[in-house]
Amino acid sequence: MDNEMIEFDIGLGGREGDDDFVEIEHPVEDEEMVDSPLIGSASGSASGLGFNGGSGEIYLPEGDLLDLEPYDGMEFESEEAAKAFYNSYARRVGFSTRVSSSRRSRRDGAIIQRQFVCAKEGFRNLNEKRTKDREIKRPRTITRVGCKASLSVKMQDSGKWVVSGFVKEHNHELVPPDQVHCLRSHRQISGPAKTLIDTLQAAGMGPRRIMSALIKEYGGISKVGFTEVDCRNYMRNNRQRSLDGDIQMLLDYLRQMQADNQNFFYAVQGDEDQAMGNVIWADPKARMNYSYFGDTVTFDTTYRSNRYRLPFAPITGINHHGQPVLFGCAFLINESEASFVWLFKTWLMAMSGRPPLSITTDHDPVIQSAIMQVFPQTRHRFCKWHIFKKCQEKLSHVFLQHPSFEADFHKCVNLTESIEEFESCWLSLVDRYDLRDHEWLQTLYSARRQWVPVYLRDTFFAEMSITQRSDSMNSYFDGYVNASTNLSQFFKLYEKALESRNEKEVKADFDTMNTSPVLKTPSPMEKQASEFYTKKIFMRFQEELVGTLTFTASKGDDDGEIISYQVAKFGEDHKAYYVKLNVLEMMASCSCQMFEFSGLLCRHVLAVFRVTNVLTLPSHYILKRWTRNAKSSVMLEERSSDVYTNYLESHTVRYNTLRHEAFKFVDGAKSSETYDLALDALKEAAKKVAHAIKNDGRNVMGNGHIRGNLAGGASRANYTIGHHDGNSGQNLSEDDMDKNVRELTTELECANRKCEVYRANLLSLLKDIEDHKLQLSIKVENIKISMKDGF
């Protein structure tokens, strides 16, 4: 029989001869020699050893035969039986084995000879040609020392395998029994251990905690029989097997959803048929929600702790009740920059290409880079709550040694009112706790413009409080998706979460429409806000309005257009806020920047409005996204309601403008001469105003604009008017003319009153229609929920 020798080495994850091989967490390869369970038995002699390839059972000798040492002529029923015997012998003695070489038949290619050797046989392959083009980042420790110990077996014509050579001696120390489980060929996960791992993995435990449980169960690491690396490999294989099937289930679900509704959007990165790319989807409600509340967005990858360690990334926002609202979801196979870029571009396409004003994510440089590429104009911040949580891990020694550090850290970040104050407080903090050289903390400080509130208050993030955690971050699926969730369970829980969130929004709509908030002040502004805002947002605004009662506003600089005010709590002038008011445009800005950050006016601006007699909120300070009609498409009501608002504003603007101009006379009359001039000017102006008021009805047309100046005798003498007595074009006396004007003025006022009544009735009707529409939508949603519960 013609034979040829085939040389090969088998190792865990690669051949030890490769210089660039690094031990990684890979499953044990088929050719690796591992112990097998002692399922059957044979008796009599060593030749009784057998292997049943069909059932996978190995037969080993009982009793004293288990202590057999290999010898020439020893027979086995199969090659596998010989390998199992030698590996069992090696475990007993204290060394690891591997397959070194084989010989195949040239006639049919069948293996007819095997050589099993000690794992330390031979030497490391230092062939430069194999490694010169590949960088070796973590070279493995050299373990081969040229050991000659081996067992050679060959197949007989009878089909049995016989030992043709055995070398017992080793040129290295053998491993004691309590360390044998660390040798590669003896690391085996038994059936009961696999069952326990499966159970604990399904419960969401990681490999480290599972190994601790196994060690406790078996009474020591040496009795477990494998290492944490093997446990991790086995768990990863489990995840991959489950993932392959469940990803296909995911795609089937998304295809069905799109078939049911063409507005359902989903996309898969790469080839969809491979079913292994990143996946993103957004249902019609999510896309509609974005059109209402897409000004600020949260991208959350913290749900990666599911059983696959597969990042589930919901994209959320905040609705008009301050509740989290969904804009889309994604599963990411990997977290590379390319994956995030694809995800953001695809999601933006689903949202009609309109980027948000701001976006909040976890502190991740890869995500940051992707956002800079896809959303260059969007303000990006890191979630402060996650940074605080990370601090507890990175600075745990500081938290333990200094109980006051956490409070000081929060105070520095949350309670500083200016950039200068924060910088000073931060330097004091790191010096006090000797943290100037702490690498992670310095990295955090370098990124301060993306997570510290004083740097972010000029951008809208829809948060009611700078110091509290946003409810939208990592909370939409809380209570539904957790560490034990797999993809086969995911969509049932996903749909339950959607139903629950929708029900909460419906309940908030119902409460807003059917409960009247308790007003705490006689302010027309509070009543106005109670009619516009949703219940929760009104309560937050009410806090600010009531808070103005303890604040004083002191007038400062006045440049003719903008007046500065210093606003402080009574008795706390050292902690003042600064408000600038443009009385002509009714625009105000505060140093706290609450309106810019949250979309609600702060108590400091409201305090200035109080002292300047601004009785109602200017329309530009009522964001539609916070109102009860945030999702309404009825624009007529919005325009009509502005008539009343503008009417009130016009009186306020005129009043403030006149008072502002009058104060210029007062401020400028510092000498007796200027006083006399100012007084004469004011008296003359007062006469003109009184005369204008007397003749106001004569000069005002139906649209409220003055057509011409009728003051003066010449104008009156030449004024002609058609009269009912038929004297057309006749020059009338001044008394007759005044009488006619008074009659026309009375008719005009009557017509105006009728118009106001019609306008009020129209507004009331439109409001009733909108309320009825909202109540119907609530009933429809309740019916849908009831039907789903019934099924």
Side-chain angles (χ1 to χ4, degrees):
M1 182 180 293
D2 296 329
N3 302 321
E4 65 174 346
M5 185 68 69
I6 301 175
E7 298 284 345
F8 62 90
D9 292 332
I10 299 296
L12 183 61
R15 296 194 299 203
E16 188 175 338
D18 293 344
D19 284 352
D20 64 339
F21 174 72
V22 180
E23 183 170 356
I24 56 176
E25 298 172 10
H26 285 310
V28 176
E29 296 184 5
D30 292 339
E31 286 290 344
E32 183 159 1
M33 298 181 62
V34 296
D35 281 341
S36 299
L38 309 183
I39 301 175
S41 65
S43 59
S45 67
S47 61
L49 289 162
F51 178 83
N52 183 334
S55 66
E57 294 181 346
I58 297 175
Y59 297 93
L60 294 175
E62 290 181 334
D64 295 338
L65 295 179
L66 281 173
D67 297 327
L68 278 175
E69 186 176 275
Y71 56 86
D72 287 346
M74 191 176 195
E75 287 189 347
F76 301 93
E77 290 297 323
S78 66
E79 172 204 347
E80 288 78 7
K83 180 169 67 173
F85 174 79
Y86 188 59
N87 202 50
S88 179
Y89 164 76
R91 183 183 181 92
R92 189 168 68 249
V93 173
F95 67 97
S96 182
T97 64
R98 60 185 173 84
V99 179
S100 175
S101 61
S102 301
R103 186 183 297 275
R104 292 182 182 273
S105 168
R106 288 186 181 275
R107 184 177 58 190
D108 57 11
I111 295 176
I112 59 175
Q113 187 172 333
R114 286 282 198 190
Q115 183 180 35
F116 310 120
V117 299
C118 172
K120 293 180 178 290
E121 180 269 346
F123 296 95
R124 171 73 60 85
N125 186 343
L126 300 177
N127 187 349
E128 293 184 359
K129 291 183 180 180
R130 301 176 64 182
T131 60
K132 66 179 181 179
D133 296 330
R134 291 175 291 175
E135 180 183 359
I136 303 173
K137 295 182 180 179
R138 293 175 55 197
R140 286 187 60 193
T141 304
I142 294 177
T143 58
R144 297 195 182 188
V145 295
C147 181
K148 300 296 185 182
S150 65
L151 177 73
S152 298
V153 293
K154 60 182 179 180
M155 188 172 67
Q156 303 294 311
D157 292 339
S158 62
K160 293 187 177 183
W161 289 70
V162 64
V163 174
S164 58
F166 171 61
V167 178
K168 177 181 178 181
E169 293 74 18
H170 297 262
N171 66 348
H172 56 87
E173 292 185 4
L174 299 176
V175 174
D178 62 343
Q179 298 177 15
V180 170
H181 68 280
C182 296
L183 294 173
R184 190 175 303 173
S185 68
H186 305 310
R187 283 158 32 187
Q188 176 206 7
I189 303 179
S190 65
K194 289 179 180 178
T195 301
L196 184 55
I197 292 174
D198 292 344
T199 302
L200 297 179
Q201 183 180 11
M205 291 178 63
R208 185 171 301 174
R209 293 177 61 194
I210 289 178
M211 279 303 296
S212 298
L214 288 166
I215 291 170
K216 185 176 181 180
E217 175 72 18
Y218 285 92
I221 183 65
S222 62
K223 295 182 180 179
V224 172
F226 54 90
T227 66
E228 184 179 325
V229 170
D230 302 310
C231 179
R232 196 180 298 272
N233 291 335
Y234 175 78
M235 292 173 66
R236 192 205 60 218
N237 286 344
N238 272 355
R239 289 195 297 268
Q240 191 60 48
R241 282 191 296 269
S242 299
L243 183 60
D244 290 344
D246 286 348
I247 284 289
Q248 188 58 50
M249 185 186 305
L250 164 66
L251 293 178
D252 290 342
Y253 175 89
L254 297 178
R255 292 188 189 107
Q256 184 60 48
M257 293 298 289
Q258 190 178 67
D260 294 341
N261 191 325
Q262 290 301 309
N263 289 324
F264 185 94
F265 173 90
Y266 84 95
V268 181
Q269 186 179 21
D271 187 358
E272 184 173 334
D273 293 335
Q274 294 178 356
M276 285 304 292
N278 298 313
V279 182
I280 184 172
W281 71 93
D283 61 32
K285 185 175 179 60
R287 301 175 74 180
M288 186 62 70
N289 281 336
Y290 185 79
S291 69
Y292 302 132
F293 311 112
D295 40 20
T296 185
V297 166
T298 294
F299 176 67
D300 182 12
T301 57
T302 57
Y303 285 97
R304 73 190 73 193
S305 58
N306 57 56
R307 68 184 302 177
Y308 303 112
R309 299 300 186 265
L310 179 71
F312 165 55
I315 304 171
T316 61
I318 300 176
N319 69 8
H320 52 321
H321 299 292
Q323 300 168 331
V325 61
L326 193 64
F327 295 150
C329 294
F331 272 119
L332 299 175
I333 299 300
N334 64 75
E335 295 177 87
S336 66
E337 183 177 317
S339 289
F340 288 121
V341 168
W342 172 85
L343 170 69
F344 293 143
K345 284 184 176 179
T346 307
W347 175 78
L348 188 60
M349 179 177 65
M351 300 298 131
S352 303
R354 181 170 65 92
L357 297 175
S358 60
I359 186 169
T360 303
T361 73
D362 198 4
H363 184 197
D364 188 325
V366 178
I367 297 177
Q368 181 181 8
S369 178
I371 287 176
M372 290 175 64
Q373 296 178 53
V374 184
F375 305 115
Q377 303 303 320
T378 298
R379 187 71 177 273
H380 178 209
R381 74 167 176 176
F382 302 132
C383 177
K384 183 182 62 179
W385 184 83
H386 287 135
I387 287 178
F388 282 163
K389 189 176 180 181
K390 196 72 173 178
C391 280
Q392 295 176 350
E393 174 188 336
K394 296 290 186 178
L395 301 173
S396 57
H397 63 290
V398 181
F399 279 69
L400 290 174
Q401 293 176 9
H402 305 284
S404 61
F405 172 78
E406 184 174 11
D408 288 343
F409 184 74
H410 279 257
K411 181 180 178 181
C412 177
V413 172
N414 288 326
L415 301 182
T416 48
E417 296 291 342
S418 66
I419 293 175
E420 294 75 15
E421 185 182 354
F422 167 77
E423 295 286 352
S424 174
C425 185
W426 182 275
L427 290 176
S428 175
L429 183 76
V430 295
D431 284 342
R432 188 182 316 140
Y433 295 101
D434 194 24
L435 294 170
R436 271 187 179 268
D437 298 326
H438 193 281
E439 184 177 352
W440 183 80
L441 202 60
Q442 287 303 312
T443 302
L444 210 58
Y445 175 73
S446 299
R448 62 192 181 280
R449 296 182 184 277
Q450 289 184 271
W451 67 277
V452 178
V454 292
Y455 293 98
L456 297 163
R457 290 175 182 167
D458 60 346
T459 304
F460 182 74
F461 283 98
E463 289 190 20
M464 297 298 100
S465 171
I466 290 174
T467 59
Q468 294 177 1
R469 174 197 178 189
S470 169
D471 189 40
S472 67
M473 192 66 175
N474 192 25
S475 64
Y476 192 92
F477 290 97
D478 279 0
Y480 296 92
V481 177
N482 54 47
S484 64
T485 304
N486 59 36
L487 284 181
S488 62
Q489 302 168 328
F490 172 80
F491 277 103
K492 293 180 181 178
L493 300 174
Y494 164 83
E495 289 179 347
K496 285 185 177 180
L498 293 187
E499 290 178 5
S500 174
R501 288 294 177 185
N502 186 60
E503 185 178 353
K504 289 179 180 178
E505 182 176 332
V506 169
K507 178 65 165 56
D509 282 336
F510 180 84
D511 289 344
T512 295
M513 298 301 299
N514 292 278
T515 58
S516 299
V518 177
L519 302 183
K520 297 182 179 180
T521 72
S523 167
M525 187 179 293
E526 184 181 17
K527 187 176 189 308
Q528 175 198 18
S530 70
E531 294 171 351
F532 275 102
Y533 288 134
T534 60
K535 181 179 179 180
K536 180 174 180 179
I537 302 305
F538 168 71
M539 292 175 66
R540 182 66 187 88
F541 173 81
Q542 190 181 52
E543 288 179 22
E544 295 299 312
L545 187 64
V546 173
T548 64
L549 300 177
T550 60
F551 277 77
T552 59
S554 304
K555 184 179 177 182
D557 296 336
D558 183 351
D559 64 2
E561 290 186 6
I562 298 177
I563 308 175
S564 297
Y565 290 88
Q566 181 174 310
V567 183
K569 202 168 186 179
F570 183 77
E572 297 182 6
D573 293 340
H574 62 284
K575 190 177 181 181
Y577 298 87
Y578 299 93
V579 176
K580 292 183 178 181
L581 175 66
N582 186 323
V583 294
L584 300 180
E585 298 180 3
M586 295 299 293
M587 298 291 292
S589 62
C590 180
S591 58
C592 78
Q593 296 182 303
M594 177 176 163
F595 181 78
E596 291 82 354
F597 189 74
S598 69
L600 289 178
L601 280 177
C602 61
R603 59 192 62 190
H604 319 119
V605 170
L606 294 176
V608 171
F609 280 177
R610 188 187 72 235
V611 300
T612 54
N613 292 323
V614 178
L615 302 179
T616 61
L617 280 174
S619 59
H620 47 265
Y621 285 120
I622 302 176
L623 297 190
K624 184 178 179 181
R625 62 117 52 238
W626 288 136
T627 67
R628 56 182 64 194
N629 294 326
K631 300 169 77 170
S632 170
S633 59
V634 179
M635 300 304 296
L636 179 61
E637 176 190 5
E638 194 173 78
R639 290 196 300 270
S640 300
S641 62
D642 283 343
V643 172
Y644 177 69
T645 303
N646 292 335
Y647 171 77
L648 292 175
E649 286 179 18
S650 64
H651 280 278
T652 304
V653 169
R654 289 199 293 267
Y655 173 81
N656 280 290
T657 302
L658 288 173
R659 190 178 63 163
H660 180 64
E661 293 297 323
F663 271 120
K664 288 182 179 180
F665 283 87
V666 177
D667 294 338
K670 303 207 174 159
S671 66
S672 59
E673 292 81 4
T674 56
Y675 168 78
D676 291 337
L677 287 173
L679 188 60
D680 290 340
L682 286 173
K683 287 179 178 179
E684 183 64 26
K687 290 179 182 179
K688 291 181 179 180
V689 169
H691 188 69
I693 292 173
K694 178 181 178 183
N695 299 320
D696 188 54
R698 309 176 191 181
N699 304 326
V700 179
M701 307 302 288
N703 60 2
H705 294 291
I706 297 176
R707 177 63 61 85
N709 182 10
L710 302 184
S715 297
R716 289 181 183 274
N718 295 325
Y719 185 76
T720 60
I721 186 168
H723 195 266
H724 63 274
D725 62 4
N727 296 325
S728 177
Q730 180 181 357
N731 289 333
L732 300 177
S733 67
E734 186 171 330
D735 291 338
D736 291 338
M737 186 171 63
D738 287 344
K739 180 181 178 182
N740 290 339
V741 168
R742 283 195 297 272
E743 289 176 357
L744 291 173
T745 301
T746 302
E747 292 178 12
L748 180 62
E749 290 175 351
C750 181
N752 283 336
R753 285 195 295 271
K754 288 181 180 179
C755 287
E756 289 299 326
V757 172
Y758 293 148
R759 185 183 294 111
N761 289 338
L762 178 59
L763 288 174
S764 176
L765 178 62
L766 289 171
K767 187 175 185 302
D768 289 342
I769 292 173
E770 188 63 29
D771 290 349
H772 186 61
K773 175 184 172 184
L774 187 56
Q775 289 173 1
L776 286 176
S777 68
I778 293 172
K779 290 180 180 179
V780 169
E781 293 296 337
N782 283 331
I783 292 171
K784 288 181 179 179
I785 294 171
S786 299
M787 292 176 65
K788 289 183 179 179
D789 292 341
F791 288 124

